[in-house]
Amino acid sequence: MPQDPMDFEWSYWIEWGRERILWLLAGHLLVSQVSRLLVEKYKPWCLMVYGMAACWLLLGIKGFAVILLHATISFAVAQFQLSLLTWLCSLILLSTLRIPAVEEAKRKWYDTENEYYLLLFTVSVRCLFCTSFSLEYCWHGPAQKSSHSFLWMLAYVFYYPTFHNGPLMNFDEFSKQMRRKEAFSLKTNLSILIVGIIRIFFWWCLAELMIHLMYIHALYSSVPPLEAASYWALGGLALAQVLFFYVKYLVLYGVPALLLQMDGLKPPALPCCVSLMHSFTKMWRSFDVGLHRFLVRYIYVPMGGSQSSLLGTLFSTALTFAFVSYWHGGQSYLWYWGTLNWLGVIVENGVKRILSISLIQDLI
């Protein structure tokens, strides 16, 4: 039975995975386990060299140069130790991905659109990694600068399991865990690998069944079936779509999370099942945990967060969702999506504050 071809993201990453990425991830696993077994002290640098080689192989010399240039510029700007300047640099670098002339020039580097999109997705994710490193550099004193060297930035930016699509791991977490020395057991790692592969294979089979049998995305792309459907049917389609999105990211984040475990790191928690969620706030906290930690640490809390006034909290939350919308592409529908999510979070928090008033609690 033919599959639903309308979910671009799933088809795209599965195709790349089968062709090259899974093989490169297997190479990373081999390098990681050998370095942990023989040269634990030099593991970060072994993985850095492998990640740079994999980037060069997959994106070519020009794609590799773009990512290296972004990292170099970010590191140079971070030397001023001004968070605002670092953020300005990050937003400018991110904006270069949307300049038509630059887009056309990059397209000419590759034979297919898929290769260009791989560079686009990779650089978008690397921008977040460069931002995380640069802000941590700004916030740490001179005594800690050795742990925030350019070499450590390259080890972080070119760490291959999270290279193309995440999940996001902040630099402070990555650095602490990568430096941590722990007992290495090949037998334990092998059992983790086998169990992890079985789980990911199950999720992949489930996603493939959904995309071959349910045709959720094909239905959404055609107006007549939606107009003819009842409200109950539309609700069912919406639930089916978010459930597929959940299963899809169990696979897309599950593979790198397994490799992080094999490297002795603690990956961000995998997405929580959307059927168990009943609020916008929980959705943002527990679906993409790595992105949530990034947004809270580098945008929400520095701007005041929940500790500021009501207007300050509204502004901090709005700025957070504005960045999410812009990072995802900045198209008009993404701004609507971000605004609706912002309103949802604000309404929920407002209701919670009202219900926390002692008089209201007595009435309840």
Side-chain angles (χ1 to χ4, degrees), residues 291-313:
L291 180 61
H292 174 260
R293 289 175 181 169
F294 176 93
L295 296 172
V296 169
R297 182 168 177 80
Y298 302 121
I299 302 177
Y300 185 69
V301 170
M303 294 308 299
S306 59
Q307 302 303 313
S308 60
S309 64
L310 178 60
L311 283 176
T313 303

Side-chain angles (χ1 to χ4, degrees), residues 245-257:
F245 190 75
Y246 159 65
V247 175
K248 172 171 67 176
Y249 269 87
L250 285 179
V251 177
L252 296 182
Y253 280 178
V255 174

Side-chain angles (χ1 to χ4, degrees), residues 259-289:
L259 290 174
L260 281 160
Q261 280 185 284
M262 298 295 291
D263 291 346
L265 309 180
K266 184 181 178 182
L270 291 177
C272 184
C273 180
V274 290
S275 295
L276 302 177
M277 297 182 196
H278 59 275
S279 73
F280 284 95
T281 308
K282 186 179 179 183
M283 182 72 177
W284 278 98
R285 284 179 180 169
S286 56
F287 192 86
D288 193 335
V289 176

